[in-house]
Amino acid sequence: MTVRRNVTPWAPAVLVLTALLATSCAEEKDNDSRPAASSSSATPHGYVEGAQEAAEQQSRLLLNDPDSGNSRVLDLITGKVHKTAQVEGAVRLGTDGRFGYLHASGGTHVLDSGVWRVDHGDHVHYYSAAIRDVGELPVGGQAQVRSDVAVTAATDEDGQTTLYDRSKLDKGQIASSRTLVGTYAGAVVPHEGHLLAFADEGGTTKLVVLDRKGQRVASPDVECEEPRGDAVTRRGVVLGCADGALLVREEDGAFTAEKIPYGEDVSAKERAASFRQRPGSDTLTAPAGDDAVWVLDVTERTWTRVSTGPVVAANTAGSGSPLLVLETDGSLHGYDIATGKQITRTKPLLTGEERADTDGSTPVIEVDRSRAYVNDPEGKKVFEIDYNDDLRIARSFDLDIEPVLMAETGR
């Protein structure tokens, strides 16, 4: 059953954070784009030396087997598989759309997938370049890495954050610019020329806005108990809290923080602790306990809880598309978000029995504008799903490694 909890127009408190923004190029946001971050005229339109511009999306899948350390990059345009550096013991694989971050106990390995997109609102540029291993960030398996076009912020498990020059990463170099003073809860998220972070103030966790030097430029009167999970959407940055989420936006030189509460008490086990989405989409998904999925419609400011079977992974392309849920029966299920009814399912895709773990090592669902991808580690396969055609299996890719960790870039 679907339970929709609406936030009435008067309910959310909108809190204005006055902060002077760094100069950036003006953009509009279209329906398929993530907010463009501040960019430098030194790299117009996202171009870097040696890259080639393409007329369409150039997607690649980053894959890793933590036991063997084998890593691969699967080019979804050509179907070719490329070998990359050995990274053993990785517990998570994150991406910022171009770079992959393989988190292991000895450090976080940075892999340049060689594909990315730059969104200028009224048009999008797609680029491809050589795949290369960049090196190691000196942060462990529990680190959280977030980026925009100018800076990469790596927050370790102790809450200390180091900023890295993104233009150096583009050139295959790792160069830290500064370490922020103090510690912060959760990930530090670069956004609109600033940094969004949660600071502990007198036993409460409050949102703060920092400039790129780490100086606080705004400190609104808004709390977020147990911050977990974040996502960048066209409407702003969503930050997960124990009682729902905060939507943080910049408009006319100021930031606003708007609460989107669940609307009722939600147990710790059923809270949205991490979000999955098509990059830039305003529709987010997150497990809601073992047998349900949260769908957060950022545009409508509503949470919808969809009852499913036992959840391994979930995602959706956004409004008008089905909720995709990989369940422990090994099949991918499609649900109508509005009604909560299952509308379709695939044959079993997973070779072995899977369950949802919190360490990021279970299969995932990656979604782009037209396809979804599901990794089958034991079967050494990746499935490409046409979610607009009754979850038809469009292609399958046989691999020479167990793709335990997977992330899509170039979207």
Side-chain angles (χ1 to χ4, degrees):
M1 180 180 68
T2 302
V3 179
R4 182 174 293 274
R5 298 179 176 87
N6 291 313
V7 180
T8 56
W10 47 266
V14 178
L15 303 152
V16 178
L17 295 70
T18 55
L20 182 63
L21 295 177
T23 301
S24 62
C25 64
E27 311 98 352
E28 294 179 10
K29 280 95 175 167
D30 66 17
N31 288 338
D32 287 310
S33 32
R34 74 174 68 206
S38 301
S39 60
S40 169
S41 59
T43 55
H45 301 292
Y47 174 79
V48 296
E49 186 177 356
Q52 293 183 335
E53 186 168 4
E56 61 181 10
Q57 178 176 287
Q58 305 290 298
S59 291
R60 292 173 181 171
L61 292 178
L62 310 183
L63 307 162
N64 174 264
D65 175 10
D67 288 340
S68 68
N70 291 323
S71 299
R72 301 287 187 266
V73 177
L74 170 59
D75 190 316
L76 293 170
I77 302 298
T78 66
K80 293 182 179 179
V81 179
H82 304 264
K83 292 184 178 181
T84 61
Q86 293 281 116
V87 182
E88 295 184 15
V91 296
R92 287 185 299 116
L93 170 58
T95 182
D96 57 17
R98 173 177 177 176
F99 295 94
Y101 302 95
L102 281 158
H103 299 275
S105 59
T108 293
H109 184 79
V110 183
L111 171 62
D112 185 353
S113 71
V115 290
W116 65 96
R117 76 177 219 169
V118 178
D119 176 20
H120 288 275
D122 58 347
H123 64 283
V124 177
H125 297 264
Y126 297 104
Y127 293 98
S128 63
I131 299 164
R132 59 184 172 186
D133 292 284
V134 179
E136 306 289 324
L137 300 179
V139 289
Q142 301 307 311
Q144 301 187 72
V145 178
R146 304 292 185 268
S147 298
D148 64 9
V149 297
V151 68
T152 294
T155 305
D156 65 22
E157 57 187 318
D158 296 322
Q160 188 172 67
T161 300
T162 301
L163 304 182
Y164 294 86
D165 186 337
R166 180 59 184 266
S167 66
K168 296 293 185 181
L169 286 182
D170 291 345
K171 298 176 182 178
Q173 305 167 12
I174 293 178
S176 62
S177 56
R178 60 177 48 84
T179 297
L180 302 183
V181 175
T183 59
Y184 298 95
V188 172
V189 182
H191 182 60
E192 297 292 353
H194 289 72
L195 304 169
L196 306 180
F198 287 110
D200 185 352
E201 296 188 349
T204 61
T205 306
K206 293 188 175 183
L207 176 69
V208 295
V209 179
L210 313 173
D211 64 20
R212 291 299 169 88
K213 294 182 180 180
Q215 298 298 313
R216 187 177 300 189
V217 295
S219 182
D221 186 20
V222 59
E223 299 179 6
C224 178
E225 182 182 351
E226 299 176 10
R228 289 183 296 176
D230 55 270
V232 178
T233 76
R234 290 181 298 111
R235 306 288 176 177
V237 177
V238 173
L239 304 169
C241 307
D243 59 352
L246 292 177
L247 174 60
V248 183
R249 296 180 292 169
E250 179 278 323
E251 187 174 2
D252 296 330
F255 284 89
T256 61
E258 182 177 348
K259 292 185 177 181
I260 309 178
Y262 290 118
E264 63 179 44
D265 290 337
V266 175
S267 67
K269 183 180 180 180
E270 295 183 338
R271 293 172 188 165
S274 62
F275 297 107
R276 303 283 296 182
Q277 67 185 133
R278 177 178 55 78
S281 171
D282 294 338
T283 307
L284 310 181
T285 67
D290 295 330
D291 302 306
V293 174
W294 286 115
V295 179
L296 173 57
D297 185 328
V298 180
T299 303
E300 299 297 328
R301 313 293 198 268
T302 59
W303 291 92
T304 299
R305 187 179 187 276
V306 179
S307 296
T308 65
V311 178
V312 175
N315 210 331
T316 184
S319 178
S321 298
L323 169 64
L324 305 177
V325 183
L326 185 64
E327 300 184 13
T328 53
D329 62 3
S331 296
L332 184 66
H333 299 246
Y335 291 86
D336 183 280
I337 296 173
T339 66
K341 293 182 178 179
Q342 179 176 296
I343 53 178
T344 187
R345 60 177 290 184
T346 67
K347 67 180 184 180
L349 303 179
L350 303 183
T351 303
E353 182 179 348
E354 297 290 350
R355 60 186 178 86
D357 288 327
T358 57
D359 62 0
S361 62
T362 52
V364 297
I365 305 169
E366 291 285 357
V367 178
D368 59 33
R369 289 188 177 188
S370 61
R371 295 290 189 266
Y373 298 90
V374 177
N375 52 323
D376 174 22
E378 289 192 27
K380 295 184 177 180
K381 285 181 178 290
V382 170
F383 294 95
E384 180 182 77
I385 308 296
D386 186 346
Y387 54 78
N388 289 316
D389 188 15
D390 202 32
L391 304 189
R392 176 178 59 88
I393 299 175
R395 291 187 292 178
S396 63
F397 301 92
D398 294 318
L399 303 165
D400 64 345
I401 70 168
E402 294 187 8
V404 176
L405 303 178
M406 181 178 78
E408 184 178 0
T409 60
R411 296 174 293 181

